[in-house]
Amino acid sequence: MSGRPEQLFPLFAGLETLPGVGRKTAQHFSQIAVETPRDLLFSLPYAVVDRRRRDTIKGADLPSTLTVEVTVGAHRPSSGRGGAYRVHVEDAQSDFQLVFFHARGDFLRRQLPEGARRVVSGKLELFDGLAQMVHPDHILSPGDAGDIPEFEPVYHLTQGVTQKTMYKAVQGALARLPELAEWIDRAQLDRRDWPDWAAAMRLAHAPSGLDDVMATTPPRERLAYDELMAHQLTLALARQRDRKAPGIASMGTGSLQGKVLQSLPYHPTSAQSRAIEEIAGDMAVAQRMNRLLQGDVGAGKTLVAFIALLVAVEAGGQGVMMAPTEILARQHLEALAPLAEEAGVVLEILTGRDKGGERKAKLAALAGGKIQVLVGTHAVFQPDVTFHDLRLAIIDEQHRFGVRQRMDLADKGVAADVLVMTATPIPRSLALAQYGDMDVSVLDEKPPGRKPIKTAVVSTERMDEVVGHLRRAIDEGRQCYWVCPLVEESELVDLTAADERFKRLRAVLGDDVVGLVHGQMPPADKDAAMAAFQSGDTKVLVATTVIEVGVNVPNATIMVIERAETFGLAQLHQLRGRVGRGTAQSTCLLMYRPPLSDGGRKRLEVLRETEDGFVISETDLKMRGAGDVIGTAQSGLPRFQIADLERQAALMAVAQSDARALLAADPELNSERGRAARVLLWLMRQDRAIRLITVG
């Protein structure tokens, strides 16, 4: 499979090869990521204009776009500079005016000679009781009027590209459509009543009414499915490669796991036990594990992760646990330390802060196998870090790392099993889009003894009451997080700054009671502020969202989130999960500044109603869209041109099972349908997938 199939060449030629596209226009097109005829084809129209011919404008509901044959009457040039140039016209039963601004009279006289017949098409509106068409879209002689499509597709444009240019270029691209062999399963095509690829393209660009630009029409649904299928094939190929990659069989003996489980004051939940079983099962076979451990806030992922690390140690190897930030890495260390002590396992941390002799000593201990479990940031990936026998790599908070880093681990020649943990409950459709190459374990129960968190929605106008409530709670020995939206007062965004809030709370509650932590602080100060709060020296921690993930202070039972309406749902859910970790009843106060928008109100209501992260994330997806839920910029979420992840979630699941079934039956993609699927991968620019087949 050396290069792009020949039948796709015309679709990947330069844009200048299309009618009406010169070098300049091609440059304009590149602003909207259209570089080839193929890209044009995938830029589907979003609306349609009815340009069917009428005899007269009489009886039409104005304003509307009308196409009618007229006789040209008198010209009335503009009186002053930049004024309106008017041309009187009559159709079979009525008359109206064509209006032009900044017009050149001689040009208009040539185009609209008095007494001539013309077909005009454009938006007709009433102005001071007179019907007028300002700058018609089309003015043609009756002989050429066949060029006006009855239904004209409307495209997203960029500066320097008109609808006319776009339409003409797309028609040129459609003329080159190759007939491609079918890559979709026959039964699926018949069940959905989908056309073949070329027909679907033609139909999608020729809507004959508003219904035809809906995502649910068979041609569009089919094209969306092609995109999802190509994406899932890529993930399935990566998964196949990982499975073929030599792994190491790590059989646990259970001796260390037993010690830890016996020392716990509670029994693991059945969800935890199931996840541990799935992970240990994967680790026991000589294929690389690639599993996602998805658990809501407080579902007990740490225990599952540590048991998995113990399987690696029992099998005579090492394990590593990676976190996106230093604070989180230190927290993992604190959470794992008591468990490691019970098991009698050597646990160490490695971050960017380790320097000189200390770092050297740690690296030597790691290479010699003296350190059994290592916790760290991505500093663990640096070239001079070598393990004695790495069996398991656990990556925390996946969407900060992404697929590429998972591949880096593989490329480091590490045959280790990979377990990715995320505390962000991701809706199924997004999980498939992002983690389609992985097997998934879900922790969907809370450990025993956790009380539900009371959530209340309060206006900022009741600030004094809230502070009074806080003072009483502190007197009872409880602790509180106070989350602020931004660090410094910004002129543009009038949000209460952390510094301001910190000063005000200190004034009311006392200097030594309130601590502050935010993103702009030097790491050492940040750690000191966190440590003071964790040890209970400070009772209130004013913070920006740096505490969103990880922080564990069981004695903290109150979470105040200021200007809660400015946060996303998933983020609010993560923040709320910082309390309710001990046995005491916890409260979360969502403070908003009135008036609330509909969206803002709905978000806060959802949080008040439920603590189920999956319900919350599904709602978030419906309200905000896929990119925002995971933060598209760093999410590794694919950008689809046609498919809509929110509304076509079900198609994604079908595409995944279809792609996996195709590869199971034809791992090399050499069958007739397999070869068609290769063409699909080229068509969708899935170069990485193509490399996987070629190398595979």
Side-chain angles (χ1 to χ4, degrees):
M1 175 144 188
S2 47
R4 184 181 292 133
E6 209 166 306
Q7 72 233 72
L8 296 182
F9 286 180
L11 297 185
F12 284 87
L15 277 181
E16 293 98 298
T17 57
L18 292 172
V21 182
R23 203 170 54 92
K24 196 100 178 252
T25 309
Q27 278 170 350
H28 290 312
F29 267 123
S30 67
Q31 299 300 307
I32 45 174
V34 172
E35 311 275 348
T36 62
R38 175 249 175 243
D39 302 332
L40 264 184
L41 291 175
F42 282 86
S43 313
L44 298 185
Y46 66 91
V48 60
V49 179
D50 182 347
R51 292 204 193 272
R52 284 176 297 185
R53 188 89 59 92
R54 304 170 56 105
D55 291 336
T56 175
I57 64 163
K58 202 171 169 181
D61 282 336
L62 302 188
S64 75
T65 299
L66 299 177
T67 308
V68 59
E69 188 171 330
V70 296
T71 303
V72 181
H75 284 235
R76 291 222 323 271
S78 60
S79 43
R81 255 192 75 186
Y85 186 114
R86 299 171 187 276
V87 181
H88 187 83
V89 295
E90 288 182 16
D91 65 24
Q93 296 181 40
S94 186
D95 61 341
F96 57 98
Q97 289 184 337
L98 306 182
V99 182
F100 303 88
F101 292 97
H102 309 291
R104 299 205 316 280
D106 50 347
F107 170 73
L108 286 176
R109 284 207 153 76
R110 280 202 304 280
Q111 228 194 345
L112 291 160
E114 212 168 316
R117 305 281 290 164
R118 289 288 181 266
V119 173
V120 294
S121 183
K123 190 172 180 187
L124 192 76
E125 38 204 337
L126 282 177
F127 192 74
D128 285 347
L130 285 173
Q132 56 180 40
M133 191 181 280
V134 179
H135 290 277
D137 303 320
H138 300 275
I139 303 176
L140 294 167
S141 65
D144 297 332
D147 290 355
I148 304 178
E150 289 205 335
F151 293 95
E152 189 171 49
V154 183
Y155 294 95
H156 289 291
L157 301 175
T158 177
Q159 204 185 344
V161 178
T162 61
Q163 288 293 349
K164 233 179 225 164
T165 309
M166 187 79 177
Y167 180 75
K168 199 166 164 187
V170 168
Q171 294 306 312
L174 286 169
R176 303 183 174 183
L177 281 181
E179 292 297 326
L180 301 176
E182 188 54 74
W183 47 76
I184 297 180
D185 178 52
R186 272 279 150 222
Q188 166 87 353
L189 275 182
D190 298 342
R191 198 166 50 246
R192 296 278 187 152
D193 201 17
W194 284 344
D196 68 48
W197 180 76
M201 250 324 155
R202 286 190 198 97
L203 288 164
H205 284 283
S208 60
L210 268 179
D211 290 352
D212 289 351
V213 292
M214 309 289 270
T216 47
T217 62
R220 288 205 173 213
E221 207 174 56
R222 185 232 145 101
L223 294 173
Y225 185 78
D226 291 338
E227 257 185 321
L228 301 176
M229 172 87 180
H231 173 65
Q232 286 298 335
L233 258 176
T234 304
L235 291 174
L237 281 161
R239 171 187 157 100
Q240 177 175 286
R241 182 192 76 168
D242 286 347
R243 303 217 143 177
K244 276 201 290 201
I248 312 162
S250 301
M251 291 290 286
T253 59
S255 58
L256 301 175
Q257 299 172 55
K259 286 182 187 169
V260 171
L261 292 171
Q262 269 153 23
S263 73
L264 296 175
Y266 58 85
H267 278 299
T269 64
S270 54
Q272 283 175 312
S273 304
R274 188 177 61 235
I276 289 169
E277 208 173 298
E278 289 167 346
I279 293 164
D282 277 0
M283 290 177 71
V285 294
Q287 282 175 334
R288 282 193 45 204
M289 169 170 77
N290 194 12
R291 186 171 280 280
L292 175 71
L293 177 62
Q294 206 181 351
D296 204 346
V297 180
K301 287 185 298 298
T302 308
L303 176 68
V304 174
F306 191 66
I307 297 290
L309 290 164
L310 289 181
V311 172
V313 176
E314 288 173 356
Q318 294 165 296
V320 62
M321 184 160 184
M322 291 170 39
T325 64
E326 177 126 2
I327 286 186
L328 273 175
R330 297 206 171 277
Q331 246 187 302
H332 281 314
L333 184 72
E334 281 161 32
L336 299 180
L339 300 173
E341 205 159 303
E342 289 294 342
V345 165
V346 183
L347 174 72
E348 198 41 272
I349 186 168
L350 182 70
T351 69
R353 248 196 252 176
D354 290 304
K355 298 277 186 285
E358 196 185 338
R359 180 178 160 90
K360 261 207 182 87
K362 280 186 186 177
L363 293 183
L366 196 62
K370 306 265 191 308
I371 296 173
Q372 292 163 295
V373 176
L374 181 69
V375 173
T377 54
H378 54 263
V380 172
F381 274 156
Q382 283 160 357
D384 60 343
V385 180
T386 49
F387 290 84
H388 176 64
D389 178 10
L390 178 62
R391 300 292 186 90
L392 173 66
I394 298 183
I395 301 176
D396 187 19
E397 277 305 310
Q398 160 70 17
H399 60 266
R400 311 279 164 102
F401 282 103
V403 182
R404 202 149 288 129
Q405 282 83 347
R406 296 209 306 261
M407 289 195 146
D408 285 349
L409 242 184
D411 295 342
K412 205 177 169 169
V414 181
D417 289 320
V418 177
L419 180 67
V420 173
M421 297 200 306
T422 172
T424 318
I426 302 167
R428 186 166 150 72
S429 58
L430 293 192
L432 288 175
Q434 205 180 357
Y435 309 120
D437 58 328
M438 305 184 84
D439 300 302
V440 183
S441 296
V442 179
L443 297 180
D444 47 13
E445 311 168 40
K446 291 249 161 85
R450 290 263 169 121
K451 289 194 180 144
I453 301 167
K454 281 192 185 141
T455 302
V457 177
V458 192
S459 155
T460 43
E461 290 161 352
R462 292 169 55 193
M463 183 70 74
D464 295 347
E465 275 177 64
V466 172
V467 176
H469 173 74
L470 206 58
R471 185 189 267 137
R472 287 191 296 281
I474 292 168
D475 291 345
E476 291 166 17
R478 312 226 309 255
Q479 286 175 278
C480 164
Y481 292 103
W482 188 298
V483 178
C484 299
L486 277 185
V487 182
E488 54 256 2
E489 284 288 357
S490 109
E491 299 298 326
L492 294 170
V493 196
D494 181 17
L495 296 176
T496 329
D499 278 329
E500 277 300 295
R501 179 61 57 221
F502 170 62
K503 287 177 196 144
R504 285 188 196 166
L505 288 174
R506 277 175 70 162
V508 181
L509 303 168
D511 283 0
D512 48 355
V513 176
V514 188
L516 171 68
V517 55
H518 59 70
Q520 322 289 315
M521 288 164 92
D525 297 2
K526 220 186 278 185
D527 286 357
M530 299 292 278
F533 186 61
Q534 272 169 321
S535 65
D537 292 346
T538 51
K539 302 296 180 204
V540 178
L541 184 64
V542 174
T544 55
T545 53
V546 290
I547 60 154
E548 180 183 346
V549 279
V551 191
N552 192 17
V553 181
N555 189 41
T557 57
I558 299 171
M559 166 67 71
V560 178
I561 304 174
E562 210 173 325
R563 297 299 308 273
E565 76 276 14
T566 62
F567 292 95
L569 258 175
Q571 207 177 16
L572 288 170
H573 177 63
Q574 288 292 329
L575 287 167
R576 173 171 64 184
R578 298 298 112 223
V579 295
R581 296 177 155 250
T583 45
Q585 172 67 58
S586 292
T587 320
C588 173
L589 295 179
L590 303 171
M591 296 188 77
Y592 66 90
R593 179 189 293 172
L596 265 183
S597 69
D598 279 353
R601 198 187 64 247
K602 198 161 147 201
R603 281 213 294 277
L604 300 185
E605 278 170 1
V606 170
L607 276 165
R608 197 175 54 202
E609 305 302 307
T610 178
E611 268 194 80
D612 182 328
F614 287 94
V615 171
I616 287 169
S617 70
E618 290 285 358
T619 314
D620 209 10
L621 179 61
K622 285 196 189 78
M623 288 177 67
R624 287 197 304 158
D628 290 339
V629 175
I630 312 191
T632 305
Q634 3 66 319
S635 68
L637 246 198
R639 299 271 175 96
F640 295 120
Q641 279 181 280
I642 297 174
D644 176 335
L645 276 186
E646 289 90 275
R647 293 179 191 80
Q648 298 180 311
L651 277 186
M652 179 64 100
V654 180
Q656 186 193 47
S657 55
D658 198 11
R660 286 187 176 185
L662 173 60
L663 276 182
D666 178 16
E668 304 290 316
L669 293 182
N670 283 331
S671 66
E672 197 176 328
R673 190 177 159 214
R675 286 199 303 276
R678 289 175 178 232
V679 174
L680 168 69
L681 292 172
W682 278 109
L683 179 66
M684 294 301 184
R685 296 214 164 95
Q686 294 285 352
D687 307 4
R688 282 176 60 199
I690 290 154
R691 278 211 312 281
L692 289 174
I693 310 174
T694 327
V695 181

